[in-house]
């Protein structure tokens, strides 16, 4: 497609460098337009059809998935997949387009996983045990861990380096962050311990000694 646009512009008397730039820009616009067309088809037709079936079903998981828009986050992958499909047509930019699309796909998957954990928490809160043993704190730990791993992978993909090389530098930065956010981390851990050991419940009185 790039060659067709480029040859057409050359026949129109456009300078070669300008024709190459306009061809690349046109191909980028076309690929993004096609990607967003497929995205809107999935979002406004496929997901809505699934929503209708979810409302008619007796299970609660599909309703929670629709409510938290898990599939909406996954649908964001479609434009990136289309752009990746067009990538071989871009002269000299195929490598970077591949890296950017792969990074965006990872980011969208993480966003969808974040929403799915909200679904898990929503379903769990419907059970009686959730009043004494909530799992929101544990899910937040999982989210933080997943986001950190995704960040490392995205940076490694963009730089074309092994994720293990980034872990060395992150280790030193983590030590500094632990010192800065020491009180916050201790408070977070204390909240998990209170929940795990069932040390406090709704309706309990908390007394603070006066100074």
């Amino acid at each position: 497609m790039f060659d067709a646009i480029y040859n057409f512009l050359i026949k129109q008397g456009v300078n070669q460098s300008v024709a190459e730039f306009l061809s690349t820009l046109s191909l980028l616009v076309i690929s993004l337009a096609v990607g967003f067309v497929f995205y809107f088809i999935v979002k406004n037709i496929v997901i809505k059809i699934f929503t209708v079936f979810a409302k008619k079903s007796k299970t609660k998981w599909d309703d929670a998935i629709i409510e938290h828009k898990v599939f909406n986050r996954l649908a964001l992958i479609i434009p990136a997949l289309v752009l990746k499909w067009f990538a071989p047509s871009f002269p000299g930019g195929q490598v970077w387009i591949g890296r950017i699309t792969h990074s965006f796909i990872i980011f969208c998957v993480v966003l969808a996983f974040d929403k799915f954990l909200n679904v898990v928490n929503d379903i769990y809160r419907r059970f009686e045990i959730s009043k004494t043993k909530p799992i929101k704190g544990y899910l937040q730990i999982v989210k933080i861990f997943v986001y950190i791993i995704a960040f490392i992978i995205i940076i490694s993909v963009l730089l074309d380096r092994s994720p293990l090389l980034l872990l060395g530098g992150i280790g030193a930065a983590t030590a500094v962050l632990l010192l800065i956010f020491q009180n916050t981390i201790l408070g977070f851990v204390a909240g998990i311990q209170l929940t795990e050991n069932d040390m406090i419940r709704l309706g309990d009185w908390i007394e603070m000694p006066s100074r």
Side-chain angles (χ1 to χ4, degrees), residues 25-59:
L25 181 61
S26 300
L27 184 59
L28 179 62
V29 172
I30 291 172
S31 59
L32 290 177
V34 173
F36 279 105
V37 167
F38 280 105
Y39 167 72
F40 283 111
I41 290 175
V42 172
K43 181 180 178 181
N44 296 317
I45 297 178
V46 178
I47 294 180
K48 285 188 176 180
I49 292 175
F50 181 81
T51 302
V52 172
F53 283 102
K55 290 181 178 180
K56 293 182 179 180
S57 67
K58 297 181 180 179
T59 58

Side-chain angles (χ1 to χ4, degrees), residues 67-104:
E67 180 181 352
H68 289 278
K69 299 182 179 180
V70 176
F71 291 131
N72 293 60
R73 297 297 182 270
L74 288 176
L76 292 172
I77 298 176
I78 296 176
L81 292 176
V82 174
L83 183 60
K84 185 177 182 299
W85 184 74
F86 276 94
S89 301
F90 289 88
Q94 178 178 357
V95 175
W96 271 105
I97 290 178
R99 293 179 185 178
I100 293 173
T101 52
H102 288 160
S103 300
F104 186 75

Side-chain angles (χ1 to χ4, degrees), residues 178-194:
L178 288 176
L179 293 175
I180 297 175
F181 298 101
Q182 181 179 4
N183 293 331
T184 303
I185 296 173
L186 289 176
F188 184 70
V189 173
I192 295 178
Q193 290 177 337
L194 288 173

Side-chain angles (χ1 to χ4, degrees), residues 56 62 73 90 114 131 136 153:
K56 293 182 179 180
D62 48 7
R73 297 297 182 270
F90 289 88
D114 186 323
K131 296 180 180 180
K136 187 175 182 179
I153 295 176

